Amino acid sequence: GELEMDDQSTINATGKGYQYSTQSWFRSVGNIIWLSATGGAHQASGSYGGRGTSYHSSHYSNEVYGNYAWPNELGTSGSRSGGHGGGSIRLKIDGDFILDGTITNNGVCSGESCGSGGSVLIEAQDLSGTGSIMAEGGGGNFHKGSGGGGRIAIHARSFAESFAYPLDILSN
């Protein structure tokens, strides 16, 4: 069938991805490798489709990961008491998809770091509309680095002209 999201409709998985773990020396798919405070990921923001940044030049975030063509991973949390990554959104529509609403799957900031954006995967016959799709990393500031962008993939047989330019697709 067809799916239509009007301009008042939203799908939002912001901050629903990986969360910071309080365990020392913990590693999980997509999570930061926790190292000692003197040489590790302390104050580093999460990466997924794009690399997260760090407040300190001697600290670093995790490597980018996942499949760019078929993204299905959660976004990564930042280090320490950092913000959560974006979740994973997958829409498989047998018919047409009219997107005039908003699909948002961003990372969030908390403590001393930010989470990366999550994943958005859309499969449809025809895609049209003037809505927006976002999978942005949490925006850093003077005291914390920014989270890396998430991943967005759209698999459709055709794209309506209205979709091509007015639609915002953002993944920093």
Side-chain angles (χ1 to χ4, degrees):
E2 179 179 282
L3 175 62
E4 181 173 357
M5 287 181 63
D6 65 25
D7 62 357
Q8 300 298 307
S9 298
T10 62
I11 297 173
N12 190 342
T14 293
K16 302 297 184 189
Y18 287 116
Q19 300 176 9
Y20 168 71
S21 171
T22 57
Q23 293 177 295
S24 298
W25 303 93
F26 174 77
R27 174 76 163 95
S28 176
V29 175
N31 273 353
I32 290 172
I33 298 171
W34 306 110
L35 301 171
S36 68
T38 59
H42 159 73
Q43 292 185 321
S45 291
S47 301
Y48 176 32
R51 187 83 186 241
T53 62
S54 175
Y55 173 65
H56 292 292
S57 61
S58 62
H59 301 153
Y60 48 90
S61 62
N62 61 299
E63 296 291 329
V64 298
Y65 60 96
N67 185 324
Y68 71 91
W70 296 95
N72 65 350
E73 301 277 355
L74 300 173
T76 303
S77 68
S79 66
R80 301 279 234 191
S81 58
H84 301 167
S88 180
I89 297 172
R90 181 173 182 181
L91 300 175
K92 186 170 183 174
I93 302 143
D94 290 333
D96 298 340
F97 182 26
I98 303 167
L99 176 60
D100 289 321
T102 303
I103 298 174
T104 307
N105 198 3
N106 300 333
V108 297
C109 295
S110 179
E112 59 187 39
S113 61
C114 302
S116 73
S119 62
V120 178
L121 175 58
I122 298 172
E123 298 176 74
Q125 293 299 311
D126 182 55
L127 185 59
S128 62
T130 58
S132 63
I133 303 170
M134 294 173 280
E136 300 179 321
N141 60 29
F142 180 72
H143 299 289
K144 63 184 111 198
S146 298
R151 294 189 186 271
I152 298 170
I154 301 170
H155 297 271
R157 183 184 61 210
S158 63
F159 297 89
E161 280 187 37
S162 65
F163 175 81
Y165 297 103
L167 185 83
D168 293 323
I169 299 177
L170 304 170
S171 181
N172 63 357

